Amino acid sequence: MTKTAWVFPGQGSQAIGMGMDLLELSYAKDKFAQAEEILGWSVPEICQSEEEKISRTLYTQPSMYVVESILADLMRERGQHPALVAGHSMGEYVALYVAGVFDWSEGLRLVKRRAELMDSAAGGMMAALIGFNREQLEQQIEQTPDVVLANDNSPAQVVISGTPTAVEAVLSQVKAKRVIPLNVSGAFHSPLMAAAASEFQPVLESVTFKPAKVPVLSNVEPIPAVDAAVLKERLSRQMTGSVRWQEISQRLPEEGIERVVEIGPGTVLTGLIKRTCSGLILENISSVADLEGLGVRGEEEDTVTR
């Protein structure tokens, strides 16, 4: 049997209309209704709204959690199960839910509070670099206060995060094929999120974590773990820590993974994995049609995830 990992995208992969075909299914309808009770707003309404609204952190993260978790549940209903899971930033919460670490409603409440705190963050900047000299970039980051490597997505794509002055200073000294300022409210995955992370900690501590049923590769420490305390401690560092996605990608074949299924809108993560390690079967599940056609290989998409 092919050893399979499931991976879940985070903010940056959202798309207008995502998850709308799920409304045809009674299970999904029930989940959307449960989500509205917890969130106080409708995920389907947000998913059909204008780009400005669906891309606002406050709404994006909970909507992504709901859509991705429903798709994962429907895959399990069809007899599909992962040997390992991982998620990019917010996607790690879906991975933990799928691994049985906490129940669905607890996960959504965590994501809701996380999104509120991150949405209210201010005074920071994030920018993606594509096609750059890594040694030059790392040197400039080391020499510049208040900026960090927030997302190490692949050998050719990273995101830096910090104060606007610091980020601009690094960008002025590093040549890149493409630079994309990200439309976010704060310097996510950097020490500048310390206040938000501190406020989030009591919420995280209030949720009981259970041992994972399958190993989880965490953003801040991409080593497979199932221990509940370890997974919670790693998650507590995620808001201020770097997303080490390139290392997660490299770890997959080391763990004997032969097939990777990205569950959620877009094909960002499979694209990043393809650039990092070859030889893996890559698939994408973002719709009901994809569920019916499991086994179809996805095409990569050059989009920034954060």
Side-chain angles (χ1 to χ4, degrees), residues 141-200:
I141 289 175
E142 188 176 339
Q143 295 173 358
T144 309
D146 301 323
V147 63
V148 297
L149 182 65
N151 298 355
D152 187 3
N153 287 331
S154 77
Q157 187 199 108
V158 299
V159 175
I160 62 174
S161 180
T163 64
T165 301
V167 171
E168 294 289 0
V170 170
L171 294 178
S172 70
Q173 298 298 317
V174 177
K175 292 181 180 179
K177 183 179 177 182
R178 193 175 171 201
V179 174
I180 308 169
L182 303 185
N183 182 23
V184 293
S185 56
F188 300 167
H189 298 292
S190 84
L192 294 179
M193 296 298 294
S198 178
E199 198 168 342
F200 181 65

Side-chain angles (χ1 to χ4, degrees), residues 280-298:
L280 296 174
I281 300 167
L282 304 175
E283 301 180 12
N284 297 86
I285 302 295
S286 61
S287 66
V288 174
D290 291 335
L291 287 168
E292 302 304 331
L294 285 170
V296 178
R297 183 167 178 164

Side-chain angles (χ1 to χ4, degrees), residues 57-108:
T57 300
L58 182 68
Y59 300 116
T60 307
Q61 294 185 10
S63 297
M64 296 277 285
Y65 175 91
V66 172
V67 170
E68 291 174 21
S69 60
I70 291 173
L71 286 168
D73 285 345
L74 292 171
M75 285 188 68
R76 291 191 286 192
E77 278 187 6
R78 287 161 169 75
Q80 300 282 319
H81 298 282
L84 182 149
V85 293
H88 192 288
S89 194
M90 187 290 304
E92 187 171 324
Y93 288 78
V94 190
L96 290 166
Y97 158 68
V98 169
V101 174
F102 44 64
D103 69 29
W104 185 82
S105 59
E106 287 177 325
L108 182 55

Side-chain angles (χ1 to χ4, degrees), residues 8-9 86-97 102 216-220 231 234-235 238:
F8 302 91
H88 192 288
S89 194
M90 187 290 304
E92 187 171 324
Y93 288 78
V94 190
L96 290 166
Y97 158 68
F102 44 64
V216 181
L217 289 175
S218 300
N219 286 193
V220 299
L231 293 171
R234 289 178 178 178
L235 196 63
Q238 197 217 57

